[in-house]
Amino acid sequence: FINNIEETIVSVDLQTPMKCPSVMVCEGDWEPLARGLVDRGLCKIVCQEELHHIGSQPLLNGLFSVGKDEIKNQIAVSRLIMNLKPWNSISRSLPAEVGTLPSITQMSALYIHDHDVLVTSSEDLRCFFYLFRVPQAWCRFMGFGREAPLSLRPVGGEGKKWYLAGTVLPMGYLNSVGVAQHI
């Protein structure tokens, strides 16, 4: 499944273009957000031609954040949401069960020595998605519906449209839970 993502896509005659969900980022925040996602390896810049197309329309997804009611270093913490409804609409479903996602109770089989210390954090589990890089072939389905900032576009790429595309296991993909269980 992971290495043959193309085989999970429904046939072309079953693919219907849909409106791209919003990329809800203020204009002045788009460049620093995009740069941060690229610098951290969560996204990369791709040419529109590299994206999956339904007919002549590129498959583009949404992006936004949701507050987590947390403050860290006097900054409100948010969760990045990749709204992948367009990709989900053309994907076959992998069987999965949300109840078997990694949890702290699965650590009960750990053995530590008398002088060892085990430190865990709920952050280890909350950030399970976005930790694992997906194969290059996945990126063509993970483009986001706002053109990449000029500062991130490659030299010589003028005259083409460039987008941010995800490079990590996304929370919003319908098959991510199943993939996470297998990891």
PDB file of all heavy atoms in Angstrom, residues 70-78:
ATOM      1  N   GLU A  70      -3.565  25.797  24.366  1.00  0.00           N
ATOM      2  CA  GLU A  70      -2.281  25.721  25.063  1.00  0.00           C
ATOM      3  C   GLU A  70      -1.470  26.974  24.738  1.00  0.00           C
ATOM      4  O   GLU A  70      -1.575  27.521  23.642  1.00  0.00           O
ATOM      5  CB  GLU A  70      -1.467  24.513  24.605  1.00  0.00           C
ATOM      6  CG  GLU A  70      -2.021  23.176  25.004  1.00  0.00           C
ATOM      7  CD  GLU A  70      -1.142  22.032  24.509  1.00  0.00           C
ATOM      8  OE1 GLU A  70       0.095  22.185  24.458  1.00  0.00           O
ATOM      9  OE2 GLU A  70      -1.713  20.981  24.161  1.00  0.00           O
ATOM     10  N   ILE A  71      -0.666  27.387  25.696  1.00  0.00           N
ATOM     11  CA  ILE A  71       0.248  28.507  25.496  1.00  0.00           C
ATOM     12  C   ILE A  71       1.659  27.993  25.778  1.00  0.00           C
ATOM     13  O   ILE A  71       1.901  27.351  26.796  1.00  0.00           O
ATOM     14  CB  ILE A  71      -0.059  29.685  26.447  1.00  0.00           C
ATOM     15  CG1 ILE A  71      -1.510  30.156  26.294  1.00  0.00           C
ATOM     16  CG2 ILE A  71       0.941  30.823  26.246  1.00  0.00           C
ATOM     17  CD1 ILE A  71      -1.810  30.857  25.000  1.00  0.00           C
ATOM     18  N   LYS A  72       2.597  28.240  24.860  1.00  0.00           N
ATOM     19  CA  LYS A  72       3.986  27.843  25.053  1.00  0.00           C
ATOM     20  C   LYS A  72       4.855  29.044  24.709  1.00  0.00           C
ATOM     21  O   LYS A  72       4.777  29.570  23.600  1.00  0.00           O
ATOM     22  CB  LYS A  72       4.327  26.655  24.154  1.00  0.00           C
ATOM     23  CG  LYS A  72       5.696  26.074  24.390  1.00  0.00           C
ATOM     24  CD  LYS A  72       5.896  24.805  23.593  1.00  0.00           C
ATOM     25  CE  LYS A  72       7.250  24.214  23.915  1.00  0.00           C
ATOM     26  NZ  LYS A  72       7.461  22.954  23.221  1.00  0.00           N
ATOM     27  N   ASN A  73       5.678  29.462  25.657  1.00  0.00           N
ATOM     28  CA  ASN A  73       6.525  30.649  25.472  1.00  0.00           C
ATOM     29  C   ASN A  73       5.701  31.861  25.044  1.00  0.00           C
ATOM     30  O   ASN A  73       6.072  32.588  24.128  1.00  0.00           O
ATOM     31  CB  ASN A  73       7.642  30.373  24.461  1.00  0.00           C
ATOM     32  CG  ASN A  73       8.567  29.263  24.915  1.00  0.00           C
ATOM     33  OD1 ASN A  73       8.799  29.085  26.101  1.00  0.00           O
ATOM     34  ND2 ASN A  73       9.083  28.511  23.965  1.00  0.00           N
ATOM     35  N   GLN A  74       4.548  32.022  25.653  1.00  0.00           N
ATOM     36  CA  GLN A  74       3.629  33.139  25.407  1.00  0.00           C
ATOM     37  C   GLN A  74       3.062  33.150  23.989  1.00  0.00           C
ATOM     38  O   GLN A  74       2.617  34.185  23.504  1.00  0.00           O
ATOM     39  CB  GLN A  74       4.321  34.471  25.725  1.00  0.00           C
ATOM     40  CG  GLN A  74       4.768  34.557  27.172  1.00  0.00           C
ATOM     41  CD  GLN A  74       5.509  35.848  27.479  1.00  0.00           C
ATOM     42  OE1 GLN A  74       5.973  36.541  26.593  1.00  0.00           O
ATOM     43  NE2 GLN A  74       5.600  36.157  28.767  1.00  0.00           N
ATOM     44  N   ILE A  75       3.055  31.997  23.334  1.00  0.00           N
ATOM     45  CA  ILE A  75       2.488  31.871  21.989  1.00  0.00           C
ATOM     46  C   ILE A  75       1.407  30.800  22.031  1.00  0.00           C
ATOM     47  O   ILE A  75       1.617  29.715  22.568  1.00  0.00           O
ATOM     48  CB  ILE A  75       3.580  31.482  20.959  1.00  0.00           C
ATOM     49  CG1 ILE A  75       4.639  32.580  20.880  1.00  0.00           C
ATOM     50  CG2 ILE A  75       2.968  31.228  19.590  1.00  0.00           C
ATOM     51  CD1 ILE A  75       5.835  32.216  20.032  1.00  0.00           C
ATOM     52  N   ALA A  76       0.248  31.121  21.452  1.00  0.00           N
ATOM     53  CA  ALA A  76      -0.838  30.148  21.381  1.00  0.00           C
ATOM     54  C   ALA A  76      -0.424  29.007  20.452  1.00  0.00           C
ATOM     55  O   ALA A  76       0.042  29.241  19.337  1.00  0.00           O
ATOM     56  CB  ALA A  76      -2.108  30.809  20.871  1.00  0.00           C
ATOM     57  N   VAL A  77      -0.588  27.772  20.916  1.00  0.00           N
ATOM     58  CA  VAL A  77      -0.210  26.588  20.149  1.00  0.00           C
ATOM     59  C   VAL A  77      -1.414  26.156  19.311  1.00  0.00           C
ATOM     60  O   VAL A  77      -2.542  26.119  19.793  1.00  0.00           O
ATOM     61  CB  VAL A  77       0.231  25.451  21.092  1.00  0.00           C
ATOM     62  CG1 VAL A  77       0.566  24.195  20.311  1.00  0.00           C
ATOM     63  CG2 VAL A  77       1.417  25.903  21.934  1.00  0.00           C
ATOM     64  N   SER A  78      -1.147  25.808  18.072  1.00  0.00           N
ATOM     65  CA  SER A  78      -2.192  25.340  17.162  1.00  0.00           C
ATOM     66  C   SER A  78      -1.788  24.015  16.544  1.00  0.00           C
ATOM     67  O   SER A  78      -0.607  23.683  16.479  1.00  0.00           O
ATOM     68  CB  SER A  78      -2.419  26.354  16.033  1.00  0.00           C
ATOM     69  OG  SER A  78      -2.915  27.553  16.539  1.00  0.00           O
TER      70      SER A  78
END
